[in-house]
Amino acid sequence: MKLKHSLFTRRQFLNGLLGGWLGGLAALFFYPVLRFVFPPEREPEQVLLPLTDYGSLEPGAIKNFAWGSKPGMLKKTAGGELIAFVSVCTHLDCNVAYLPEQKKFFCACHDGWYDENGVNIGGPPPKPLRRLVVTPEGENLVVRPEGAA
Amino acid sequence: MNIRGAARETWAWLDSRLGIQAVMDFLKHKPIPRNRHTPWMYTGSLILIFFGIQVLTGIMLAFYYRPTLEEANKSVGEIMTKVPLGWIIRSVHSWSATFMIAIVFVHLLAIWVLKSYRKPREMTWMSGALLLVFTLAFGFTGYLLPWDALSLAATKVGTDIPRSIPLIGAWGTKFLRGGEDVSGDTLSRFFSFHVSVLPLCLLAALALHVYLIQKLGMSLPVGADEEAEARRSLPFWPNFVYREAVLWLVFIGILVTIAVFLPPTLGKAADLMAPAPEGIKPEWYFLFLFQTLKIFPAKILFLTGDTVAVLLILLAAVLFFFLPLIDNKPAGRKGKIITVLAFLLIVYAVAMSVWSLQTPSKPEADRIIGAPQNIKESTGIYVFLAGIWLSVGVLIYLLRLKIKETDRLLEAGYFSSDKK
């Protein structure tokens, strides 16, 4: 059946409604599935490094720690200041190494170079290494993301 | 070229290669008998729906589950407390298993009582019996995976049962456990059974089962007038599918609602050295077998009670598998004894299960209970449930319109012009 000036038949209209609602229901189920499959980023709010282990760094030396599931590096600058990096290359997520003789961070995956302050100086890396904030608090060094106060 | 024209051409391209139209024509001509036994014919597709839900939620759970002695219980705990909506996904997986097995029982008892297994459908029954075994094995292996005290005890008992079978029994127990005792190796093994061996077995048996149903067509009740039934019958597509869809939607709604309000809990990691918890019980579908084993005396003549019980259960299983060959009467005969046997089995299973439930089980106190993480999540869940039930309501209304429309078309002979 089709009304005189109608663009579609009753059956097409009904099929469209049915298909549309079914699609809507499917979308409704799709949402919790997506939530489940993509859990939120679980970056640590802070990481505690005991001073007994990490306090005695020589100037220019590096010590590794775990920043959640990523490697982190604690470095004492020549000036005696403590700085920390997420030691993951900003190019394609490889873990970088610190080469003490050259005072550079090196990413072996695509030959990327960073200077001793983590600034990208050669190869494909587009950005400096991510910096973390280190503050001494009591028995520990507390490492937090930048901007987390 | 407009969109409709493009769609039609794509369809034609696909159809000329895949032969979809041939399948659709077959389904249009597949008659579903319309009589007072038709409601039982909805159970098959409902089982498939729940199996599909099991596959999807099972794949999702396997994303986060770790099948090792140290991590299994912990990872299930994380799914329930850390992964977004993980407790609901686990709950749906657990409840869907229960629904699936319950409907499997209804399905097989209906076929038993209606004698639909008679010639030429003997092998449909046998493939169905295999499907039952695989389905129960899914339940049994899945029960161990959360690795808490209850699942460990149930698996210890369950895998010890084959030992009572003379000659090959000890070997069977060793095969199931991956050693003399239930250990981390049993867990790896059960995980492998649950996610790869059983799905392959079940899909193979299912393919045979569904193929046979298409090849042989739906059975008619004992003593039916074939011509009258043929005149009354509905085409599978579209008339019957629209009717089935109503039931699928209702059951999916019920499943999700129950899963949200009654999620399964999780006990502490199983301790291989701890004594079994008091009043342990298997899942409800094994209760009657569990109670059967319980009531046998320690010794009967020169055999142990367990051996007698297990041999009797095995004999019953073999008789069950070969039921179509035992009751091979012509399709017209009623077969009252077989019907009575089915009812006796129901009474026995229900009575044994109820008896078994008389011993109260004492779950340990601090079990992990899945719950919304915050007010935002719980609000979201209520909105979600409301959305589902609203959609189900609207869809049922639309499906009723489609059913009326397709039934009118059927009566007007729209489908019969190209009937074979």
Side-chain angles (χ1 to χ4, degrees), chain B residues 333-351:
Chain B
R333 295 275 297 278
K334 279 222 157 114
K336 276 190 186 138
I337 300 171
I338 301 288
T339 310
V340 170
L341 272 178
F343 284 107
L344 282 180
L345 181 71
I346 298 173
V347 170
Y348 176 78
V350 171

Side-chain angles (χ1 to χ4, degrees), chain A:
Chain A
M1 182 176 68
K2 185 168 164 180
L3 298 176
K4 212 171 179 186
H5 301 291
S6 173
L7 291 173
F8 38 75
T9 60
R10 180 186 181 279
R11 188 184 307 169
Q12 284 168 340
F13 180 66
L14 193 51
N15 285 346
L17 265 184
L18 187 65
W21 271 100
L22 275 175
L25 187 63
L28 201 59
F29 279 111
F30 203 52
Y31 175 71
V33 170
L34 283 183
R35 283 286 309 278
F36 180 90
V37 172
F38 297 99
E41 188 77 33
R42 268 179 283 171
E43 193 179 62
E45 282 174 18
Q46 58 176 35
V47 166
L48 297 181
L49 308 176
L51 270 177
T52 45
D53 296 343
Y54 287 87
S56 53
L57 271 183
E58 298 289 317
I62 283 277
K63 204 166 163 80
N64 295 311
F65 65 93
W67 177 250
S69 50
K70 292 187 173 86
M73 280 183 187
L74 183 73
K75 182 168 190 280
K76 192 172 249 178
T77 59
E81 191 198 355
L82 282 170
I83 55 174
F85 302 100
V86 178
S87 50
V88 170
C89 183
T90 51
H91 176 224
L92 287 174
D93 217 31
C94 286
N95 295 346
V96 298
Y98 184 66
L99 308 178
E101 318 83 68
Q102 306 182 37
K103 292 190 178 161
K104 278 177 192 160
F105 292 95
F106 170 60
C107 177
C109 288
H110 302 96
D111 211 11
W113 292 90
Y114 303 84
D115 72 7
E116 56 178 333
N117 293 316
V119 178
N120 45 325
I121 50 171
K127 286 187 298 189
L129 290 176
R130 194 175 151 210
R131 288 285 281 268
L132 299 167
V133 180
V134 189
T135 37
E137 281 179 24
E139 300 285 286
N140 296 306
L141 291 169
V142 183
V143 185
R144 294 198 182 90
E146 261 180 336

Side-chain angles (χ1 to χ4, degrees), chain B residues 30-355:
Chain B
K30 183 189 169 186
I32 305 292
R34 193 165 20 167
N35 53 47
R36 67 196 174 91
H37 301 306
T38 306
W40 303 115
M41 295 185 183
Y42 292 96
T43 52
S45 70
L46 213 45
I47 294 169
L48 280 182
I49 290 279
F50 284 116
F51 178 64
I53 293 172
Q54 288 303 84
V55 172
L56 291 178
T57 52
I59 289 172
M60 288 165 72
L61 290 172
F63 283 178
Y64 295 105
Y65 177 74
R66 299 187 289 272
T68 63
L69 197 55
E70 297 80 19
E71 295 265 20
N73 184 267
K74 197 175 143 223
S75 62
V76 176
E78 281 174 8
I79 289 172
M80 290 172 70
T81 55
K82 294 218 176 99
V83 181
L85 303 175
W87 61 280
I88 296 187
I89 303 296
R90 180 182 175 220
S91 183
V92 169
H93 194 70
S94 158
W95 275 108
S96 176
T98 280
F99 274 55
M100 180 175 161
I101 290 173
I103 299 170
V104 163
F105 285 148
V106 173
H107 185 74
L108 86 88
L109 283 168
I111 284 154
W112 184 333
V113 172
L114 294 177
K115 318 286 178 311
S116 308
Y117 53 77
R118 282 183 180 166
K119 192 183 169 192
R121 298 186 177 78
E122 296 94 331
M123 288 199 58
T124 319
W125 171 272
M126 290 174 185
S127 59
L130 283 181
L131 284 171
L132 174 68
V133 171
F134 296 142
T135 305
L136 293 176
F138 261 119
F140 181 64
T141 51
Y143 198 60
L144 177 69
L145 301 184
W147 194 253
D148 61 9
L150 280 178
S151 58
L152 174 66
T155 304
K156 270 177 173 280
V157 174
T159 51
D160 202 47
I161 290 171
R163 204 193 289 278
S164 314
I165 305 168
L167 300 177
I168 55 165
W171 174 85
T173 295
K174 206 167 173 179
F175 171 72
L176 287 174
R177 289 181 174 176
E180 280 304 316
D181 300 299
V182 174
S183 64
D185 291 338
T186 319
L187 186 59
S188 312
R189 205 162 270 230
F190 270 40
F191 182 68
S192 160
F193 290 151
H194 193 80
V195 305
S196 60
V197 179
L198 287 171
L200 289 174
C201 291
L202 190 133
L203 284 175
L206 184 64
L208 177 63
H209 199 67
V210 171
Y211 162 73
L212 285 173
I213 293 165
Q214 307 316 313
K215 181 174 184 295
L216 302 171
M218 308 310 291
S219 73
L220 293 174
V222 171
D225 173 359
E226 277 183 38
E227 270 188 25
E229 289 284 351
R231 246 178 288 124
R232 263 208 310 271
S233 70
L234 283 173
F236 176 77
W237 173 261
N239 301 52
F240 191 67
V241 170
Y242 284 131
R243 285 171 167 78
E244 282 190 306
V246 171
L247 211 61
W248 299 339
L249 289 168
V250 170
F251 268 87
I252 288 173
I254 295 174
L255 172 72
V256 176
T257 309
I258 293 185
V260 165
F261 290 109
L262 297 169
T265 57
L266 176 71
K268 280 202 215 62
D271 178 356
L272 288 170
M273 303 299 150
E278 266 180 71
I280 66 147
K281 284 193 195 71
E283 284 279 72
W284 61 269
Y285 38 86
F286 289 125
L287 280 176
F288 73 104
L289 291 175
F290 173 73
Q291 189 67 18
T292 307
L293 288 173
K294 236 177 171 178
I295 58 173
F296 268 74
K299 241 179 161 44
I300 297 174
L301 299 176
F302 56 94
L303 290 167
T304 64
D306 276 350
T307 306
V308 177
V310 171
L311 288 179
L312 279 178
I313 290 170
L314 271 183
L315 176 69
V318 171
L319 290 178
F320 176 82
F321 185 83
F322 288 112
L323 179 64
L325 302 186
I326 297 162
D327 174 33
N328 58 356
K329 297 196 187 65
R333 295 275 297 278
K334 279 222 157 114
K336 276 190 186 138
I337 300 171
I338 301 288
T339 310
V340 170
L341 272 178
F343 284 107
L344 282 180
L345 181 71
I346 298 173
V347 170
Y348 176 78
V350 171
M352 283 303 211
S353 304
V354 171
W355 186 8

